[in-house]
Amino acid sequence: MKHIFKLPNRFINFNIYALSLTLLMVSCDLEEEVISFRTDDDFYQNQEELDRGIIASYSSLYDVMSVEWNITELRSDNTFTNPDRSPESDAPRFTLDRLTVDTNNSINQAYYANCYKTIALTNRILANLDVAEDQGLRNQYEGEAKFLRALMHFNLTRLYGSIVISDRVLIGEEGFQLSRRPQSEVYPFIIQDLEDAIALLPEEYDDSEFGRATGIAARTILGKVHLSSPTRDIEAAITQLEYVRDRGLNDLLTNYDDLFAPDNELNNEVIFSVRYEQGLIGLGSPFPNFFAPLQSDGNVVFGNGDGLNVPTENVSDTYEVGDLRKETSMADSYIFVDDNEETDDIEIFIKHVTKYNSDFAALDDGDVDWPITRFADVLLMLSEAYVDARGISEALIELNKVRVRAGLTALTETDVNSSFAFKLALENERRLEFAFENHRFFDLLRTNRALTVINEHFANEFAYNNPDNPDLDASPISDFQLLLPIPQREIDLNPNLAQNIGY
């Protein structure tokens, strides 16, 4: 069994209890009357309970990740909704796929609520740090809580624009009185949390604690924050990312496929991931079953597949011949084997994500972690910063480290002889390196390419232009559709929450 930082069985009930307490902590989950909960005074009584609270905060990422791919990959040119699902039967995904989301979309509502639930749990930790007797652990818990709080705010502001900054435990009806804050306030808040986390967190743990946030993870996310901020501080990003690159704690693995091997997840390329383990109630990964083809009947993964998050023709065709990443990340077909031997084996041509597949014996119980950021991300972000700050020559060094690992030839300045050509090559490299890891939509937003790329995607991808199925067509989008709407339920609870323009 792999070493894994997760809830021991005896703490599972506590985790469920702690998550349910968010009904009291965040406005999106407040009901008219909340009863039978502990009060603030006796929620965390000692250091052990505080540690369990931190674990509950990490565990809440399961709920975030279970829907995040709908909000990111599905809204990019990487994947689309299974055409066998009608617009009526799967309306929430159908509209996310086409960026025609309405304010009552249940998946959008779930993602928004799950992010703020995680934030609420971290705020509870920060409000109870005084029960920690060991100063080193107190610092660690504070750093972990601020790292997770920053990560959730970062994702929320990229997807919704102006957001509520949740920086404390909310009591009673306080959550109904908050208003959205502009990104000019949100980004400094995120940066401060990450800078605090860097100062408080260790840079590494032993294997038994693998999965906890580190100072290296905080630096990596901070580098991305600086590149994504409306004020885009390239030199600040370079400072953080060069530190991670040169610190020597992380490196590229020799083989891309090894990144997603269940027995090799304690590797030094992964910087921060959401950890899964089969065989423990609620801790297995659902993604193999989510993403395997419908009616694949155990020929792709154990059980059947839901046929979700289908790779596009375009992403499949974009892989160069010899790119070792494709076989790990996706497949264009699978072999259907008739167990009754009444028919010959048949190759079924249905594209599907394979990156998270593993051997398991129960539905939704995969064993492969979901990486949030890894060393290749550091190198390609440095390349992105270098092309503007130091030129193509230096930027190519970092990009080519990733290309060569993928089995491809290094690019030269002849291949990318302008800044624009280099940025397109980098955009493509990031797309394939992090395919189906929830990076693509965020990358396109950061580089201001989302509107162009998505409209080209709708114009050229067959799934949206099938003359035999015009109900699945997609129309060109406008700028406002790049932001998600604030869920209507949130506005109904708190009229101070203004809606995004266009919704």
Side-chain angles (χ1 to χ4, degrees):
M1 179 179 292
K2 64 183 179 183
H3 293 291
I4 191 161
F5 163 63
K6 288 194 179 131
L7 278 170
N9 287 334
R10 65 183 182 277
F11 292 161
I12 287 176
N13 288 337
F14 178 91
N15 182 38
I16 296 170
Y17 175 79
L19 293 182
S20 70
L21 192 68
T22 58
L23 292 173
L24 187 61
M25 290 191 278
V26 60
S27 64
C28 64
D29 285 323
L30 278 170
E31 302 292 345
E32 290 183 12
E33 187 175 4
V34 182
I35 60 175
S36 301
F37 291 120
R38 294 187 186 181
T39 65
D40 289 348
D41 292 339
D42 64 358
F43 189 76
Y44 292 128
Q45 291 293 293
N46 54 52
Q47 186 170 284
E48 183 181 13
E49 288 190 353
L50 197 63
D51 185 63
R52 296 178 195 174
I54 279 287
I55 295 172
S57 300
Y58 283 108
S59 295
S60 71
L61 294 178
Y62 290 166
D63 292 332
V64 173
M65 298 307 296
S66 70
V67 293
E68 187 172 275
W69 59 271
N70 295 277
I71 301 295
T72 52
E73 290 295 298
L74 200 59
R75 294 173 70 226
S76 76
D77 56 342
N78 274 358
T79 65
F80 61 92
T81 304
N82 191 316
D84 292 332
R85 295 172 176 270
S86 70
E88 294 77 21
S89 66
D90 201 7
R93 289 191 181 89
F94 183 87
T95 55
L96 281 164
D97 184 3
R98 287 153 180 78
L99 282 78
T100 55
V101 185
D102 66 28
T103 60
N104 292 306
N105 185 287
S106 59
I107 296 174
N108 178 46
Q109 180 174 298
Y111 185 75
Y112 186 95
N114 290 339
C115 287
Y116 275 109
K117 179 173 66 178
T118 301
I119 291 169
L121 288 167
T122 64
N123 283 336
R124 181 68 62 176
I125 297 297
L126 295 170
N128 287 271
L129 288 169
D130 286 344
V131 304
E133 300 159 2
D134 182 290
Q135 185 62 44
L137 284 176
R138 176 191 169 116
N139 289 345
Q140 178 187 314
Y141 297 153
E142 181 180 354
E144 290 176 284
K146 287 190 172 182
F147 172 84
L148 293 172
R149 186 171 73 174
L151 182 62
M152 292 298 97
H153 279 91
F154 184 35
N155 287 350
L156 285 165
T157 196
R158 288 185 289 176
L159 292 167
Y160 298 93
S162 299
I163 60 169
V164 171
I165 296 175
S166 181
D167 60 355
R168 63 193 183 279
V169 174
L170 303 176
I171 303 297
E173 303 223 348
E174 188 179 4
F176 297 141
Q177 300 164 4
L178 299 176
S179 60
R180 298 169 67 191
R181 310 310 304 163
Q183 289 189 326
S184 59
E185 295 180 26
V186 177
Y187 271 95
F189 174 77
I190 295 168
I191 289 168
Q192 186 61 61
D193 262 3
L194 290 171
E195 288 178 343
D196 289 348
I198 290 167
L200 292 163
L201 288 171
E203 292 191 337
E204 58 182 332
Y205 301 95
D206 61 35
D207 286 354
S208 65
E209 301 294 323
F210 188 84
R212 288 187 183 265
T214 64
I216 294 296
R219 288 183 184 275
T220 302
I221 299 300
L222 181 55
K224 185 168 287 187
V225 168
H226 283 307
L227 289 177
S228 305
S229 168
T231 57
R232 197 165 187 257
D233 193 336
I234 295 176
E235 289 302 327
I238 288 174
T239 296
Q240 297 301 330
L241 298 170
E242 284 186 338
Y243 180 95
V244 176
R245 181 195 62 189
D246 299 338
R247 180 67 176 83
L249 295 175
N250 302 92
D251 203 353
L252 292 179
L253 295 186
T254 301
N255 299 311
Y256 185 83
D257 190 58
D258 290 344
L259 276 165
F260 301 93
D263 60 353
N264 191 47
E265 291 173 309
L266 304 184
N267 65 72
N268 65 351
E269 180 165 345
V270 172
I271 292 175
F272 184 68
S273 63
V274 177
R275 309 221 61 209
Y276 296 92
E277 184 175 12
Q278 67 184 58
L280 297 175
I281 297 173
L283 297 184
S285 167
F287 304 113
N289 290 112
F290 280 4
F291 301 158
L294 281 168
Q295 300 177 336
S296 49
D297 294 336
N299 288 286
V300 176
V301 296
F302 175 85
N304 218 327
D306 296 323
L308 305 173
N309 211 30
V310 181
T312 61
E313 295 281 349
N314 180 265
V315 74
S316 177
D317 293 343
T318 299
Y319 286 97
E320 298 177 42
V321 174
D323 192 328
L324 301 174
R325 296 171 294 198
K326 183 175 183 180
E327 185 176 357
T328 298
S329 302
M330 63 165 289
D332 292 312
S333 64
Y334 68 96
I335 302 299
F336 187 92
V337 178
D338 185 355
D339 290 337
N340 297 320
E341 299 183 354
E342 295 178 358
T343 62
D344 294 334
D345 296 350
I346 303 171
E347 185 172 10
I348 308 294
F349 287 92
I350 297 178
K351 292 177 172 55
H352 53 283
V353 174
T354 58
K355 183 170 273 186
Y356 306 102
N357 289 358
S358 62
D359 293 329
F360 54 93
L363 291 176
D364 298 337
D365 198 31
D367 207 32
V368 176
D369 297 346
W370 191 298
I372 302 301
T373 188
R374 47 191 176 85
F375 193 69
D377 196 14
V378 173
L379 298 179
L380 293 180
M381 284 192 288
L382 273 172
S383 185
E384 180 179 330
Y386 282 165
V387 70
D388 287 330
R390 302 181 186 177
I392 293 174
S393 179
E394 194 159 348
L396 272 172
I397 295 172
E398 308 305 331
L399 183 148
N400 281 329
K401 292 175 185 176
V402 176
R403 275 186 63 83
V404 170
R405 194 266 295 270
L408 304 175
T409 57
L411 296 177
T412 68
E413 291 190 59
T414 302
D415 299 317
V416 286
N417 57 10
S418 69
S419 176
F420 182 70
F422 178 88
K423 289 177 180 180
L424 289 181
L426 176 61
E427 178 182 290
N428 186 68
E429 203 62 42
R430 286 192 61 89
R431 183 187 191 188
L432 302 180
E433 177 68 23
F434 307 115
F436 321 119
E437 294 179 41
N438 298 352
H439 287 249
R440 177 64 168 172
F441 189 77
F442 288 137
D443 288 348
L444 294 174
L445 289 177
R446 186 174 66 252
T447 58
N448 294 313
R449 288 261 300 151
L451 191 67
T452 297
V453 169
I454 291 169
N455 279 333
E456 288 176 354
H457 165 58
F458 287 158
N460 298 319
E461 186 72 26
F462 179 75
Y464 308 105
N465 298 278
N466 183 349
D468 296 328
N469 204 347
D471 288 344
L472 302 183
D473 287 357
S475 302
I477 63 167
S478 301
D479 276 318
F480 82 87
Q481 290 164 278
L482 297 176
L483 289 180
L484 290 165
I486 303 299
Q488 186 59 46
R489 180 166 180 262
E490 303 299 321
I491 294 175
D492 291 343
L493 288 168
N494 179 5
N496 291 320
L497 299 179
Q499 185 57 272
N500 279 326
I501 294 173
Y503 292 101

